[in-house]
Amino acid sequence: MTLTVAAAVPAGILFPESLLHSQWFAVLATFVAINTVMYAALALAKILPKLHPSDWIRTRNERSETRSIHPDAAN
Protein backbone atom coordinates (compact mmCIF):
# COMPACT_ATOMS: atom_id res chain seq x y z
CA MET A 1 0.00 0.00 0.00
CA THR A 2 2.72 2.48 1.01
CA LEU A 3 4.85 1.59 -1.99
CA THR A 4 2.04 2.36 -4.38
CA VAL A 5 1.33 5.68 -2.65
CA ALA A 6 5.04 6.58 -2.63
CA ALA A 7 5.34 5.75 -6.30
CA ALA A 8 2.24 7.75 -7.20
CA VAL A 9 3.20 10.92 -5.28
CA PRO A 10 6.06 12.97 -6.74
CA ALA A 11 8.92 14.01 -4.44
CA GLY A 12 7.98 17.68 -4.24
CA ILE A 13 4.24 18.12 -3.86
CA LEU A 14 4.18 21.78 -2.78
CA PHE A 15 7.50 22.93 -4.17
CA PRO A 16 9.58 21.72 -7.09
CA GLU A 17 12.26 19.23 -6.15
CA SER A 18 15.07 21.57 -7.23
CA LEU A 19 13.86 24.14 -4.67
CA LEU A 20 13.96 21.54 -1.88
CA HIS A 21 17.64 20.80 -2.63
CA SER A 22 18.73 24.44 -2.78
CA GLN A 23 21.17 26.00 -0.30
CA TRP A 24 18.84 28.64 1.12
CA PHE A 25 16.12 26.08 1.71
CA ALA A 26 18.58 24.02 3.77
CA VAL A 27 19.44 27.12 5.82
CA LEU A 28 15.75 27.87 6.34
CA ALA A 29 15.05 24.27 7.37
CA THR A 30 17.94 24.40 9.86
CA PHE A 31 16.62 27.66 11.33
CA VAL A 32 13.14 26.21 11.69
CA ALA A 33 14.53 23.06 13.33
CA ILE A 34 16.59 25.03 15.87
CA ASN A 35 13.64 27.33 16.57
CA THR A 36 11.38 24.35 17.15
CA VAL A 37 13.83 22.74 19.58
CA MET A 38 14.21 25.99 21.52
CA TYR A 39 10.44 26.47 21.67
CA ALA A 40 9.97 22.92 22.93
CA ALA A 41 12.66 23.42 25.59
CA LEU A 42 11.05 26.67 26.79
CA ALA A 43 7.61 25.07 26.86
CA LEU A 44 8.98 22.16 28.88
CA ALA A 45 10.67 24.57 31.29
CA LYS A 46 7.35 26.35 31.78
CA ILE A 47 5.56 23.09 32.54
CA LEU A 48 8.02 21.86 35.17
CA PRO A 49 7.85 23.29 38.70
CA LYS A 50 10.33 25.99 39.67
CA LEU A 51 13.39 24.92 41.60
CA HIS A 52 14.84 27.07 44.35
CA PRO A 53 18.26 25.65 45.23
CA SER A 54 18.75 28.33 47.88
CA ASP A 55 16.01 26.65 49.92
CA TRP A 56 18.08 23.48 50.15
CA ILE A 57 21.10 25.16 51.68
CA ARG A 58 20.93 26.62 55.17
CA THR A 59 22.63 29.96 55.60
CA ARG A 60 23.96 31.61 58.74
CA ASN A 61 21.02 33.99 58.93
CA GLU A 62 18.39 31.27 59.23
CA ARG A 63 17.21 29.83 62.52
CA SER A 64 17.49 26.12 63.01
CA GLU A 65 13.91 25.98 64.26
CA THR A 66 10.89 28.20 63.83
CA ARG A 67 9.95 30.72 66.51
CA SER A 68 6.53 31.40 65.06
CA ILE A 69 3.32 31.14 67.06
CA HIS A 70 2.37 28.58 64.41
CA PRO A 71 5.24 26.11 64.72
CA ASP A 72 3.84 23.72 62.12
CA ALA A 73 3.59 26.40 59.45
CA ALA A 74 6.06 26.37 56.63
CA ASN A 75 8.80 28.99 56.60
Side-chain angles (χ1 to χ4, degrees):
M1 174 78 180
T2 57
L3 290 175
T4 57
V5 172
V9 176
I13 295 175
L14 296 176
F15 301 115
E17 192 171 347
S18 62
L19 180 72
L20 297 177
H21 294 290
S22 65
Q23 182 70 27
W24 71 269
F25 193 83
V27 171
L28 179 66
T30 303
F31 173 77
V32 170
I34 292 171
N35 193 19
T36 302
V37 169
M38 289 183 67
Y39 182 79
L42 289 174
L44 187 63
K46 280 288 200 181
I47 290 173
L48 295 176
K50 278 189 169 180
L51 297 177
H52 300 282
S54 62
D55 292 345
W56 304 337
I57 301 169
R58 181 176 302 252
T59 61
R60 287 180 21 174
N61 297 331
E62 289 186 29
R63 294 190 170 105
S64 62
E65 59 187 35
T66 181
R67 298 177 77 189
S68 172
I69 60 173
H70 304 289
D72 295 334
N75 292 339

